[in-house]
Amino acid sequence: MKVTVETKSDKFNFPCEENESLLFAGLCAGVALPYECATGTCGSCHARVVEGEVSPGWAEAPAYSQLKPEKGDILMCQAVPRTDCVIRARNKVSLQQNEIAQDLLWTGVVVTSNKLNEDVIEFEVQLERPMRFVAGQFVTLEVEGIIGRRAYSMVNFEETSTKLTFVIKRKPGGGFSNWIFGTSVIGRRVKIAGPLGRATFRPHEDRHPIIIAGGSGIAGMMSMLRHATRLNYFRDHEGDVFFGVRALKDAFYIKELNEHVSFAAPALRVVLALSDEDPPAGRHPDFPGVWLDRGFVHDVASRRMTGKWDERVGFVAGPPQMVDGALKVLIAEGKLPQEFIRFDKFG
Amino acid sequence: MVWKRICAVSSIPKNALRRVDVEGIPLIVANFGAGFRAFPPVCPHMEEPLSESGILADCVLTCTKHLWAWDLRLDKMLGETEKPLRFYEVKVSDGDLYALIDNEIVYEFDGDDEEGDDFFS
């Protein structure tokens, strides 16, 4: 089907299959349609149908509650065309520049699944062909029998990879979480869309990263640290990582974080912030390159970053309240301009 | 239109965003240092409650949901912000803050045809 996207000043056409979402069809065709979460929760991709028939797709997607479907409002990440159509979108549509041109739809097979602790599983998906992605990007995963796509940031970093690594935190009642934690997933197929997202590490910017992550939000940050270490980025840049968990037993990837610190010392500092218990010491007992502190991760970051905010680029990921607190620190204390605040808006 | 007393000026510290109800009309009062503003309690983007997701610093109010931001002193949209905040007029008299409130200001969310098609506004 032919889709036309109009903005105040421009018009873009692209083809779209019957079951393909408008967003992915557009992105595949090189049209940089606006989006953030790509999974129906943030509303950033909303548009209005002015001609033709478009199905809303997953009508219960949370962001639909903010819109007026009766007036033709759709979420481009969910909606699929029934006929040729014309869509009106916000002014942020452009043609892709500096983005990796490749197909956005993949199938993969789960090849490993390992518990990192009681509540966190790391799993790997083998792709049918290599994917190029930037550290900090995510994909959406879809499994037969579970409604809705879920977004996960890649933990690994190779510029081109046939395997993608993810972490997932146990979530009571979560369909995907129940599937990963409760069933045998090795060999199961997943549908993948991506790579997506612009909350990425861009070494050419020459900024000093400050990372604030809670729980499984550390995923994309590991990818960035792997890229940075590969480049020896901290030879002439500073880096500060604040990783928030409830208690020491909930932490994971500490061995690897310690390795990044050892490689980059003294320019890279990693602090594990415990919100629910006092740390046993100032440094992790097994991995002394990692500092320990007590408090919510954004408060710990605020305390430790006083006077160190110059030329920073901030990365934030984790549960919504934590993201909110961290953004406030980056804005009010860090005075970071918006372009240097990177976060994905999927909860 | 009547001036309605909101609160004592001294009760709103600098950079505070305080949600108040004035005779059933909810609004946020902001002390941006050089003055005060009063406006509806939700972000004009997607109705995020600003008393929770808003942060005010250096005269700039930012909503942490999508980083829309407004300079409260200059009444200017910043960065990628697409819709302005709408203010109730305020004044300070005898240490109290007053707002001129007639009807509740409600943001239109991409759809009411009264204002024309404001999808592009």
Side-chain angles (χ1 to χ4, degrees):
Chain A
M1 252 138 314
K2 179 174 136 184
V3 176
T4 303
V5 172
E6 286 177 348
T7 66
K8 220 169 182 173
S9 46
D10 266 308
K11 218 147 97 154
F12 304 92
N13 297 311
F14 54 86
C16 186
E17 304 287 311
E18 224 173 75
N19 303 325
E20 209 181 349
S21 73
L22 297 173
L23 175 65
F24 294 149
L27 293 177
C28 281
V31 182
L33 297 172
Y35 73 93
E36 288 294 344
C37 76
T39 44
T41 51
C42 77
S44 304
C45 67
H46 87 264
R48 180 167 290 171
V49 182
V50 293
E51 242 178 78
E53 216 186 296
V54 175
S55 159
W58 178 34
E60 284 83 42
Y64 269 123
S65 62
Q66 308 278 2
L67 303 182
K68 299 196 160 111
E70 69 278 7
K71 294 204 172 192
D73 283 351
I74 47 153
L75 295 171
M76 288 192 284
C77 70
Q78 304 299 317
V80 295
R82 293 271 173 259
T83 65
D84 289 352
C85 53
V86 178
I87 311 289
R88 198 171 289 169
R90 296 119 141 319
N91 255 349
K92 279 167 42 174
V93 183
S94 60
L95 288 176
Q96 271 167 3
Q97 285 163 7
N98 306 321
E99 308 229 357
I100 303 169
Q102 62 187 319
D103 199 359
L104 281 186
L105 302 175
W106 318 70
T107 38
V109 173
V110 181
V111 290
T112 70
S113 170
N114 295 307
K115 266 184 155 185
L116 299 184
N117 64 39
E118 262 319 296
D119 290 321
V120 178
I121 281 182
E122 181 189 73
F123 64 101
E124 281 180 307
V125 173
Q126 178 88 41
L127 301 174
E128 61 199 353
R129 64 188 195 281
M131 179 190 288
R132 291 184 64 203
F133 61 93
V134 179
Q137 286 195 298
F138 66 94
V139 295
T140 64
L141 302 182
E142 193 177 355
V143 171
E144 205 182 294
I146 301 179
I147 296 178
R149 284 179 246 116
R150 301 274 288 123
Y152 294 96
S153 301
M154 278 71 85
V155 170
N156 57 316
F157 179 73
E158 293 85 31
E159 258 133 11
T160 306
S161 186
T162 47
K163 253 199 229 168
L164 304 180
T165 310
F166 308 101
V167 284
I168 178 169
K169 195 148 181 270
R170 190 194 300 265
K171 183 177 158 189
F176 210 87
S177 160
N178 288 342
W179 179 68
I180 289 269
F181 278 87
T183 69
S184 164
V185 298
I186 309 292
R188 293 290 301 275
R189 293 180 71 207
V190 289
K191 279 162 67 173
I192 297 166
L196 300 166
R198 285 174 307 260
T200 52
F201 173 50
R202 301 166 211 176
H204 66 270
E205 285 178 331
D206 254 339
R207 307 276 293 196
H208 310 283
I210 169 191
I211 290 172
I212 306 178
S216 55
I218 197 74
M221 314 303 184
M222 298 310 296
S223 181
M224 290 193 241
L225 286 172
R226 289 180 192 188
H227 189 190
T229 292
R230 200 163 303 190
L231 294 174
N232 204 356
Y233 191 75
F234 300 114
R235 179 183 50 206
D236 41 22
H237 297 91
E238 304 281 304
D240 285 89
V241 178
F242 299 93
F243 180 18
V245 293
R246 295 221 181 109
L248 204 52
K249 68 168 172 52
D250 299 314
F252 53 98
Y253 287 145
I254 302 303
K255 177 160 179 275
E256 182 178 336
L257 288 167
N258 194 62
E259 281 163 9
H260 287 297
V261 169
S262 300
F263 183 80
L268 175 64
R269 292 161 293 269
V270 174
V271 180
L272 185 65
L274 308 180
S275 63
D276 287 12
E277 69 180 17
D278 285 327
R283 292 173 178 273
H284 194 288
D286 303 317
F287 303 108
V290 174
W291 297 89
L292 299 179
D293 209 331
R294 173 78 198 256
F296 290 118
V297 66
H298 66 277
D299 286 328
V300 170
S302 164
R303 253 189 288 121
R304 287 179 176 248
M305 287 295 296
T306 312
K308 296 161 76 182
W309 286 107
D310 277 351
E311 311 236 310
R312 293 287 181 156
V313 52
F315 298 94
V316 176
Q321 269 198 310
M322 179 244 121
V323 168
D324 191 70
L327 291 177
K328 287 175 177 169
V329 168
L330 295 187
I331 293 165
E333 291 163 52
K335 317 278 187 213
L336 289 189
Q338 198 180 1
E339 60 178 311
F340 294 119
I341 298 179
R342 310 257 157 89
F343 65 113
D344 282 315
K345 300 172 193 70
F346 51 89
Chain B
M1 287 252 225
V2 173
W3 287 100
K4 306 222 165 111
R5 182 186 176 278
I6 301 187
C7 58
V9 154
S10 56
S11 71
I12 315 172
K14 182 176 168 191
N15 291 332
L17 295 167
R18 202 159 129 223
R19 197 198 138 113
V20 295
D21 258 277
V22 180
E23 290 166 25
I25 294 181
L27 49 93
I28 294 216
V29 180
N31 177 354
F32 59 92
F36 295 86
R37 292 283 191 190
F39 42 90
V42 298
C43 182
H45 187 196
M46 302 190 81
E47 296 185 299
E48 185 71 11
L50 290 171
S51 53
E52 289 162 31
S53 301
I55 175 90
L56 176 53
D58 298 323
C59 299
V60 172
L61 170 64
T62 306
C63 176
T64 57
K65 204 71 184 165
H66 304 97
L67 299 190
W68 278 24
W70 304 264
D71 186 317
L72 295 188
R73 191 167 46 106
L74 304 174
D75 186 8
K76 222 171 75 149
M77 295 183 284
L78 303 173
E80 309 214 320
T81 309
E82 291 169 17
K83 292 184 183 170
L85 286 181
R86 290 177 59 195
F87 300 120
Y88 296 96
E89 206 182 323
V90 295
K91 73 173 180 187
V92 173
S93 177
D94 270 339
D96 283 337
L97 185 68
Y98 291 81
L100 199 56
I101 299 176
D102 184 9
N103 293 313
E104 184 180 356
I105 297 175
V106 176
Y107 295 117
E108 305 303 343
F109 293 98
D110 282 342
D112 256 17
D113 293 325
E114 295 173 30
E115 288 184 294
D117 187 347
D118 70 346
F119 196 84
F120 291 121
S121 65

